[in-house]
Amino acid sequence: MTIGTKPSKPTLAAVAQEACVSTPTVSKVINGREDVADETRARVLAALQRTGYKTPSQRRSVPSRRAVEAVFDSLNSAYAVEVLNGVLEQAAIADMEVVLSVTSRQSGSPLGPEERAQRLIDEGRSGMIVVTSAFNSGQLNAFQRRRIPIVVVDPLNPPPGDVFSVGASNWAGGKAAAAHLLALGHRRIAYIGGPESAECSQARLHGYMAALMAEGISVQEEYVLAGPFRPSNGVQAMKSLLALDDPPTAIFAASDSIALGVLAEARRQNVRIPEELSLVGFDGTHQAAESVPPLTSVSQPLQDMGRSAVNFILRQMNGEDIDSRRVELATHLVVRESTAAPRPAAHRFTAKEAGAGNRGT
């Protein structure tokens, strides 16, 4: 009597036969090698799916449910935490796990783009969400060749047109911040931006410039500074601005984190906000509401951005035909206690007064 046997597991040879290619070609595709024609790669990937072939690492660890990897440059800002909360909330609704990784802790990682992309597949990830991190064409190509859904949120460099991205109306937010200060009567308004290459910071700068130019005000080069989205940038920029012969009466900071650094340096230099200097931030985080004084800030829908990123991943996974590859959510200005009309000209704050204030402490 013949006892029924379990169907054998698909082999590389079976996949090669299914795709009408050689076994070494299948191996090249699995390992992310670039020396394979696009049409051949597509045939092999389709054959892998039809046959159900799994790599050894996939067979060792089969996830119980879908998982998405969320990649942040760091998690030491309220901005990152808010976006992450949105990702976690939407992923929970979709019954999807979230695996978190921080690029600032991976500087010594030996994995190249191909190995990183293959590891994602081997570990059962359904896609990747990249938040405020720089990326290069090699990394994107490695993911796209393997058909891994990817979404970028507020990227530091402009994404290619075929990459899905989520952001906020940065230009409109920058214009609203500067327009608010102009309406209060300020004319000497500085901008402390993020990295010069950061697309979101550039958009906020252009909005600020548009508001000033609409009032016939020239943008002064010494009033525009750049640096990381960190409080340390605000501290250093504040020192530079106060050292000018004609310092600004108001500052628009490109993030709440930068604005918090400005507040800290203002306290050290006995500069009263908003009596002597008005300040606007950007992000609308809880830190802005809880600072002293509470910070006027352009609010971004940060949790909605995280939710939208997860929805983009899900729609790609489901093979939907998506018309737009960019989601841009609206910002709005929240006015609090860090902005006021400038003092009369005779009583405006000067760099010389700052020095005197420091000597008196």
Side-chain angles (χ1 to χ4, degrees), residues 66 90-91 93-94 96 149 151 307-320 322:
R66 296 175 300 183
Q90 196 63 27
I93 293 173
M96 176 182 287
V151 177
R307 296 185 191 101
S308 294
V310 174
N311 285 334
F312 253 153
I313 291 288
L314 291 169
R315 294 181 68 185
Q316 290 179 76
M317 288 169 54
N318 294 334
E320 293 185 30
I322 307 173

Side-chain angles (χ1 to χ4, degrees), residues 110-318:
L111 295 180
E114 299 294 340
E115 293 83 1
R116 178 82 188 280
Q118 187 60 43
R119 190 191 70 177
L120 232 70
I121 290 178
D122 293 345
E123 293 179 350
R125 308 285 192 268
S126 303
M128 175 179 279
I129 298 171
V130 183
V131 184
T132 62
S133 295
F135 51 85
N136 58 51
S137 58
Q139 292 170 321
L140 289 176
N141 290 338
F143 284 96
Q144 290 174 329
R145 279 197 298 275
R146 292 168 174 81
R147 300 182 181 178
I148 301 172
I150 183 169
V151 177
V152 296
V153 178
D154 265 354
L156 294 186
N157 50 337
D162 60 344
V163 173
F164 292 90
S165 65
V166 177
S169 52
N170 290 298
W171 184 90
K175 186 177 181 183
H180 169 66
L181 294 170
L182 288 165
L184 290 172
H186 293 279
R187 293 298 179 266
R188 302 202 310 274
I189 304 171
Y191 174 73
I192 307 176
E196 291 183 348
S197 60
E199 185 181 30
C200 58
S201 182
Q202 284 294 313
R204 294 165 197 174
L205 170 61
H206 293 157
Y208 150 89
M209 294 172 66
L212 266 61
M213 290 188 290
E215 294 292 325
I217 300 173
S218 299
V219 178
Q220 299 185 44
E221 184 178 347
E222 64 269 28
Y223 281 2
V224 177
L225 301 96
F229 288 114
R230 300 284 183 270
S232 58
N233 181 22
V235 170
Q236 294 304 316
M238 181 67 164
K239 290 178 180 178
S240 299
L241 292 170
L242 291 181
L244 296 173
D245 291 335
D246 200 17
T249 63
I251 293 174
F252 167 36
S255 75
D256 289 346
S257 291
I258 294 173
L260 292 176
V262 172
L263 282 173
E265 185 61 22
R267 283 193 293 270
R268 280 191 286 269
Q269 300 219 27
N270 295 324
V271 178
R272 293 177 300 160
I273 293 179
E275 293 84 357
E276 296 171 311
L277 180 74
S278 284
L279 177 63
V280 177
F282 200 108
D283 286 335
T285 61
H286 67 86
Q287 290 179 318
E290 296 168 359
S291 66
V292 181
L295 182 65
T296 294
S297 180
V298 178
S299 179
Q300 296 192 81
L302 299 176
Q303 292 195 21
D304 285 344
M305 289 161 63
R307 296 185 191 101
S308 294
V310 174
N311 285 334
F312 253 153
I313 291 288
L314 291 169
R315 294 181 68 185
Q316 290 179 76
M317 288 169 54
N318 294 334

